Amino acid sequence: GGGGGARMEEAGPEWTDHNGVKIMTLKEGDCRKQAQFGDVVYITHVGAKPGVDEEGNQRMEQFDGSGEKPLKVNLGENRIIKGMEKGMVGQCVGEQRNVLIPPHLAFDDPTVRFKSKPVPEGTTILYQITITKIVQPGSASAAYDDIWGFIGMYYQVAILAVVVAFTLYKCGPKSRKKSSKKKRG
């Protein structure tokens, strides 16, 4: 589908039709890298479904989420619901967007067998997705990616801790004591 003319309005973000889902950018990212099918992307996400609070008001109710630890997604491999994948195409690193997913691209997808469905049939769901990292296939970082993937964002901290520990060990008092233990007389 062709994009319509951009209206310059100072209103809040608006829903845009995108690959059969609706998207709304909440926070701009670094668009030198944009997610495409075939990429490996690391995302943090929250999934919500329409619910009702104690007073009977409609509100969104969380049913899924990755917390702080990013989820690794191979875009285009259908490991996650189709609507999430479609909604992430073109998303930039660091960009946070809402993706509104119709039932047939979510848990009523006829091509997917779900063990259990977290929402009733016919439910349109909302995912808030932030891409923390995009690794393009064949890039240098793709080779290292599997090594570091399980440590994720925390590997820098781990390396730093090792360097600090090693430095302390090398320069610490232990090594001095050994050389000073000479018998006198």
Side-chain angles (χ1 to χ4, degrees):
R7 294 192 306 275
M8 293 301 288
E9 287 176 6
E10 283 297 311
E14 289 183 13
W15 290 106
T16 317
D17 289 319
H18 178 85
N19 290 341
V21 297
K22 287 188 185 307
I23 61 166
M24 178 193 285
T25 297
L26 304 173
K27 195 178 116 205
E28 300 289 337
D30 175 0
C31 289
R32 284 174 299 188
K33 266 193 183 175
Q34 292 177 298
Q36 301 299 335
F37 284 131
D39 289 350
V40 173
V41 294
Y42 288 82
I43 63 167
T44 54
H45 67 284
V46 173
K49 59 184 179 181
V52 178
D53 64 15
E54 293 84 58
E55 286 135 36
N57 301 314
Q58 283 225 319
R59 66 180 183 90
M60 295 306 278
E61 192 179 295
Q62 183 177 338
F63 67 85
D64 183 18
S66 58
E68 291 298 304
K69 191 178 189 298
L71 173 74
K72 181 180 177 179
V73 176
N74 295 55
L75 263 193
E77 289 192 3
N78 294 333
R79 303 267 179 87
I80 55 173
I81 58 173
K82 283 201 182 81
M84 278 179 82
E85 293 202 327
K86 287 174 175 290
M88 278 191 274
V89 171
Q91 187 170 351
C92 308
V93 177
E95 180 185 336
Q96 183 180 54
R97 62 169 59 164
N98 276 345
V99 182
L100 199 63
I101 305 171
H104 70 279
L105 290 175
F107 294 101
D108 294 357
D109 186 339
T111 64
V112 182
R113 294 175 76 166
F114 294 99
K115 288 192 206 78
S116 62
K117 297 187 183 189
V119 298
E121 219 166 285
T123 305
T124 295
I125 57 171
L126 175 77
Y127 267 93
Q128 190 174 97
I129 302 171
T130 306
I131 292 189
T132 60
K133 184 172 155 191
I134 297 174
V135 179
Q136 276 136 353
S139 64
S141 55
Y144 292 109
D145 205 54
D146 293 327
I147 303 166
W148 294 120
F150 71 104
I151 312 177
M153 294 163 79
Y154 306 106
Y155 73 85
Q156 287 126 326
V157 181
I159 290 173
L160 190 67
V162 170
V163 170
V164 170
F166 185 71
T167 309
L168 287 175
Y169 173 73
K170 275 295 205 193
C171 309
K174 275 185 221 156
S175 52
R176 283 195 213 106
K177 275 179 190 159
K178 281 177 197 160
S179 59
S180 64
K181 279 186 181 172
K182 285 178 183 164
K183 284 183 180 173
R184 290 195 182 119

